[in-house]
Amino acid sequence: MSLHRLDPDNDIVILENPAPIVTSTWSSNDNNLDTNFTSSIQSNSVATPGTDTVVSTGSIHFFIDALNAVSTSNTSQTQYSLAYGHRYGSGSPDFTNDTGSFGLSATRVNYNQYRQLVYRDETKYFTFGSHVPDHIYVINVNRANYKQRLSAGTMDLIISGANIDDVNHSDIRLTDDSVSRGATSNNPNYAGTELGGWYNVVSGANGIMLGDSINQKGGSSSYGMMFPHAGIIVLNGDMFTASVAGAGGHTAWPVEGAAFSTNRDLNNVSMYRAISHSNHFILDTEEDVNSQFYFVRAKNSEFNYTNNPSFTSGSSKGTILFSSMRMNPKVFITTVGLYNDENDLLATAKLSQPIAKDFTKEALIRVKLDF
């Protein structure tokens, strides 16, 4: 092994402010999550098998997982979870039906959990524009699916206005307002500081909102907030309404101008159906990859001998055994190691093919380190 000290001014190049690498959030790198499935295990947690007794602590009252394939498939993975929260506990059964426990339910737990996560304050309420709704929907992207953050300007979500009786209403198409607010990679221009900053969720597509105001409901309220670094989208519950009862006795699809039930169970399932029915949910993820380039130069007089112990005689204090390696040695460079000043090995780079080296040849090897 031969060592050569790199010159920071001439041998090392640091790439500053690289463009982020953008890929799809969904599994298999599919751009659009156009097919959704749920787990039968969650569905069975609604009631005790063989009875009508509601399991108030069943996971489906807290969230419903959206899968990319049937749950029995080897390729099935959770893409996002959808939760419904209500600050007074409406929309799910109370944990116990006793005096003093009314309103203590899964939806109240959800509301408090996300309130603490976003505001770090148990006394604040979710506010969209100047409007303070009692309830929220939360799309929580599976952490394994996105990298450093959700990519601004890529959210394109259609919430279907059609219901199970094929009565069609206008769809709701949502995006974040990052492009409209002039956000760039170097200047994200977030709307706030909570959870690393957030964008407003507005009517529009590809980061461009319709109109010139984020308050698209009654002049006072936006559709919600997207927190790119946390991977969550909080939707204003008052913006999604429905009057058609669906299967299981709960509302089926949201329609602007009529409200989701806040007194029935499983509103999260209703919203899931509205999203899955549209077959249109595009959302990308991105990460900043910093790169450093190391230019390793092997001059003609350097790196011409091998450290392979079979080439030397241990009893003769390192005498080269093969005469052909004494006057005109020929070796091959296969690996480059990067060491710190204490000679600790930090990284290795394998060449795609060995490079022949002798006293008549020089080599210039570029090592790229991404982190």
Side-chain angles (χ1 to χ4, degrees):
M1 178 181 68
S2 301
L3 296 178
H4 175 78
R5 180 175 292 275
L6 297 176
D7 181 357
D9 295 328
N10 297 313
D11 297 335
I12 302 176
V13 176
I14 300 175
L15 185 61
E16 297 181 352
N17 299 322
I21 297 177
V22 180
T23 59
S24 176
T25 299
W26 313 127
S27 298
S28 303
N29 205 29
D30 292 328
N31 180 249
N32 180 28
L33 185 62
D34 56 4
T35 304
N36 293 261
F37 298 87
T38 57
S39 170
S40 59
I41 296 177
Q42 276 199 300
S43 300
N44 292 336
S45 69
V46 177
T48 302
T51 73
D52 293 329
T53 303
V54 173
V55 181
S56 60
T57 56
S59 65
I60 201 168
H61 292 296
F62 293 88
F63 63 90
I64 182 171
D65 287 332
L67 313 177
N68 64 322
V70 293
S71 57
T72 56
S73 170
N74 292 333
T75 62
S76 179
Q77 294 178 320
T78 298
Q79 304 303 294
Y80 66 88
S81 300
L82 205 154
Y84 173 79
H86 196 289
R87 62 170 163 168
Y88 299 121
S90 182
S92 64
D94 296 338
F95 294 137
T96 57
N97 192 26
D98 295 327
T99 302
S101 67
F102 300 127
L104 298 180
S105 65
T107 62
R108 188 170 181 177
V109 169
N110 282 344
Y111 188 94
N112 289 335
Q113 175 188 5
Y114 285 104
R115 170 169 59 182
Q116 289 274 23
L117 178 65
V118 172
Y119 297 114
R120 300 182 183 276
D121 187 342
E122 62 183 10
T123 64
K124 292 192 68 171
Y125 301 121
F126 280 98
T127 304
F128 306 91
S130 59
H131 181 67
V132 183
D134 289 337
H135 56 145
I136 57 172
Y137 295 90
V138 181
I139 299 173
N140 200 325
V141 178
N142 184 7
R143 186 61 188 90
N145 279 28
Y146 71 95
K147 297 180 179 179
Q148 189 171 346
R149 58 186 174 270
L150 301 179
S151 185
T154 65
M155 175 180 166
D156 191 358
L157 169 64
I158 296 179
I159 298 179
S160 175
N163 62 55
I164 58 176
D165 297 322
D166 294 326
V167 177
N168 294 320
H169 305 272
S170 59
D171 292 342
I172 304 172
R173 189 168 190 170
L174 301 177
T175 188
D176 61 88
D177 68 341
S178 59
V179 176
S180 293
R181 66 188 305 113
T184 64
S185 297
N186 295 330
N187 179 23
N189 196 16
Y190 294 122
T193 59
E194 292 86 356
L195 289 183
W198 50 273
Y199 295 114
N200 295 290
V201 175
V202 294
S203 177
N206 303 319
I208 303 174
M209 68 179 179
L210 295 178
D212 55 4
S213 174
I214 64 170
N215 296 322
Q216 298 176 326
K217 190 74 170 180
S220 64
S221 182
S222 67
Y223 277 91
M225 299 180 288
M226 183 182 83
F227 297 88
H229 292 274
I232 62 174
I233 301 168
V234 182
L235 298 176
N236 176 357
D238 285 350
M239 298 293 276
F240 306 96
T241 58
S243 57
V244 179
H250 52 271
T251 328
W253 313 112
V255 183
E256 285 187 285
F260 262 176
S261 168
T262 56
N263 297 314
R264 298 180 182 270
D265 302 335
L266 304 182
N267 278 329
N268 56 341
V269 176
S270 299
M271 178 61 83
Y272 162 78
R273 289 175 174 170
I275 293 175
S276 62
H277 186 76
S278 72
N279 299 321
H280 191 93
F281 191 0
I282 297 174
L283 184 63
D284 289 344
T285 176
E286 65 181 34
E287 64 176 337
D288 297 324
V289 177
N290 297 304
S291 299
Q292 289 188 1
F293 297 89
Y294 298 85
F295 293 89
V296 181
R297 296 170 172 86
K299 297 181 180 180
N300 68 305
S301 61
E302 300 175 318
F303 306 104
N304 293 320
Y305 294 94
T306 178
N307 283 337
N308 191 323
S310 65
F311 278 73
T312 60
S313 171
S315 61
S316 301
K317 297 182 180 181
T319 301
I320 297 175
L321 296 176
F322 304 97
S323 59
S324 61
M325 291 293 293
R326 295 173 185 172
M327 302 303 296
N328 188 25
K330 292 182 180 179
V331 295
F332 292 87
I333 302 174
T334 60
T335 306
V336 176
L338 299 179
Y339 292 77
N340 61 14
D341 290 337
E342 285 72 37
N343 287 337
D344 297 321
L345 180 62
L346 304 180
T348 59
K350 292 287 187 179
L351 277 64
S352 59
Q353 62 183 24
I355 298 177
K357 183 70 176 69
D358 57 39
F359 283 106
T360 67
K361 296 182 177 68
E362 293 191 347
L364 174 60
I365 303 171
R366 189 189 73 167
V367 178
K368 183 183 180 184
L369 182 62
D370 293 332
F371 59 94

